[in-house]
């Protein structure tokens, strides 16, 4: 694995590390705005070769039928990543702008460990289930349910938690017997390209089974949804792009998995510890500069205690100053790019136009001339109809909204085109009752943690289709076949 300072990453196509047909493009450190190095820039011809390699590897080898071999290969990748974890940590902090503290969890070490779940699941999975003998239509028949790999998977991934999302697709897809073409976001190409190096140099994964295509051109990734040689597209990103992926995939009626946006609500009931709940809400909203689809970005609090809640959450978020992600105490690093910083700022400007005010934050930190930093910001004085309360901002921004009791809190939480996640704080019985009524895929009740390799993740409504992680996530990559054999 090349040193960070010398890195010029390659594509992985058919088992070989190669240059991109379009040359290379720069990858930038969002905390310093310095150019880190270059990534191979794939063109359409590169993607075509990658898809063809994945198709041949699925159709012409025994990868899809040799579960034991696949399990060994996935564990080899896990072990290779563990062996290079400090190099990967340096890369992740520099390219993603991820605070170093997060690399011990979902930004790096957690996803590496999660590969064990994919391998273990494939090792013990009931690939065939005997339904026994019956006489449908009077014919003695033995029925068997077979679970089989879908085929070629096109994976398109974002920049916010690249290791977590890349591996949440790669691990289950491979363990289930599929071949894959991975197209990461151009903002974080190295986080994917390094997997190509480790696979080529430290695993027995056959040529063509994994292909990694970095490109500055989004149209190259769109080829995966349109190409008839691809059987499934697994996409994580914005809801707007997800719609395009679904439309493109419809042309060949391929399976489309979508993990999309969120505008999740943090509900504080009137019997909750208000200061404790608000402290957690503020910490969560500022973590990794708010760049998480499941981060709760609407704080819904009792109207009678609205001012106290605004003050409490502003105390927490105001103390979490944007900082150097290499510093162990940093919670809020930079956003990923100048483009994203400007997008977040446009929403902050909109909040003022809509009649809101800032209890803390509101723009770029005065003490940072470089880096794509935004102050953790609390918006007060708006209701759930405001655009900053309805649209995904993807920055360290929390809007505080008043509710008039449990029913109203639930109504506000559900009054959203999204349904990815949510949090409830209150007495156990009331909080559980409210959680049950929220139209979301995951709910944190009084500080519970839902993120785990064995727990499915995904959302309702426009937050996506399907589930990632857990047994449900593994089975997203499988087809179901019924074999009926006549009994003589």
């Amino acid at each position: 694995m090349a040193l960070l300072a010398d890195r010029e990453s390659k594509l992985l196509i058919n088992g070989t590390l190669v240059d991109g047909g379009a040359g290379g493009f720069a990858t930038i450190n969002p905390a310093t705005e310095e150019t880190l190095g270059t990534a191979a820039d794939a063109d359409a011809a590169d993607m075509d070769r990658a898809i063809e390699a994945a198709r041949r590897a699925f159709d012409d080898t025994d990868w899809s039928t040799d579960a034991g071999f696949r399990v060994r290969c996935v564990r080899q990748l896990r072990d290779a990543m563990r062996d290079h974890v400090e190099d990967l940590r340096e890369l992740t902090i520099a390219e993603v702008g991820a605070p170093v503290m997060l690399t011990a969890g979902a930004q790096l070490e957690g996803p590496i460990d999660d590969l064990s779940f994919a391998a273990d699941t494939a090792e013990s999975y009931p690939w065939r289930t005997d339904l026994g003998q019956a006489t449908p239509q009077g014919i003695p028949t033995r029925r068997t349910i077979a679970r089989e790999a879908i085929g070629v998977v096109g994976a398109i991934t974002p920049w916010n938690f690249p290791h977590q999302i890349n591996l949440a697709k790669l691990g289950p897809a491979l363990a289930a017997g599929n071949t894959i073409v991975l197209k990461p976001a151009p903002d974080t190409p190295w986080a994917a390209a390094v997997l190509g190096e480790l696979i080529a140099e430290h695993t027995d994964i056959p040529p063509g089974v994994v292909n990694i295509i970095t490109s500055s051109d989004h149209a190259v990734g769109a080829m995966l949804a349109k190409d008839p040689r691809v059987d499934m597209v697994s996409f994580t990103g914005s809801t707007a792009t997800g719609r395009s992926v679904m439309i493109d995939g419809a042309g060949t009626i391929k399976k489309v998995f979508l993990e999309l946006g969120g505008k999740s609500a943090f509900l504080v009931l009137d019997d909750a510890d208000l200061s404790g709940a608000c402290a957690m809400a503020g910490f969560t909203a500022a973590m990794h500069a708010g760049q998480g689809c499941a981060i709760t970005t609407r704080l819904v609090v009792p109207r009678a205690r609205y001012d106290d809640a605004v003050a409490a959450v502003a105390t927490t978020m105001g103390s979490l100053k944007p900082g150097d992600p290499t510093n162990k105490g940093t919670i809020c690093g930079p956003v990923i790019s100048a483009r994203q910083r400007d997008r977040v700022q446009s929403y902050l400007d909109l909040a003022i136009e809509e009649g809101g005010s800032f209890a803390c934050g509101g723009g770029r930190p005065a003490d940072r001339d470089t880096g794509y930093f935004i102050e953790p910001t609390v918006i007060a004085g708006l209701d759930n109809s405001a655009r900053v309360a309805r649209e995904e901002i993807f920055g360290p921004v929390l809007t505080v909204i008043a509710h008039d009791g449990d029913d109203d809190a639930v109504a506000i939480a559900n009054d959203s085109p999204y349904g990815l996640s949510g949090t409830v704080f209150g007495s156990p019985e009331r909080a559980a009752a409210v959680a049950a009524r929220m139209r979301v895929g995951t709910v944190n009740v009084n500080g519970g943690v839902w993120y785990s390799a064995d727990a499915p993740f995904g959302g309702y409504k426009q937050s996506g289709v399907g589930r990632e992680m857990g047994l449900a996530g593994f089975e997203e990559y499988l087809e179901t076949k019924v074999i009926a054999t006549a009994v003589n």
Side-chain angles (χ1 to χ4, degrees), residues 1 72-73 75-81 83-84 194-205:
M1 192 173 139
R72 178 161 64 86
C73 289
R75 288 175 177 157
Q76 286 176 334
L77 176 58
R78 175 202 63 194
D79 294 344
M81 295 189 76
D83 291 343
H84 292 85
V194 72
L195 295 176
E197 296 175 33
L198 295 175
I199 286 168
E201 298 169 3
H202 298 282
T203 79
D204 296 321
I205 294 175

Side-chain angles (χ1 to χ4, degrees), residues 57-77:
F58 185 81
D59 292 340
D60 299 340
T61 75
D62 62 356
W63 174 259
S64 67
T65 58
D66 191 344
F69 178 52
R70 299 197 304 268
V71 167
R72 178 161 64 86
C73 289
V74 171
R75 288 175 177 157
Q76 286 176 334
L77 176 58

Side-chain angles (χ1 to χ4, degrees), residues 264 413-414 418-422 435 438-443 458-460 467:
S264 302
N414 290 340
Y418 300 109
L420 188 55
S421 190
M438 295 175 73
R439 298 283 295 164
V440 296
T442 62
V443 187
Y460 292 18
R467 291 295 181 270

Side-chain angles (χ1 to χ4, degrees), residues 48 84 86 94 138 153 157 166 169 193 228 230 247 258 277-278 294 306 315 318 336 346 395 475:
D48 181 74
H84 292 85
E86 294 309 321
V153 173
T157 58
N166 290 341
K169 298 183 189 301
V230 177
I247 291 169
L258 302 174
C278 289
Y306 184 84
T315 296
I336 192 65
S346 72
E475 291 182 333

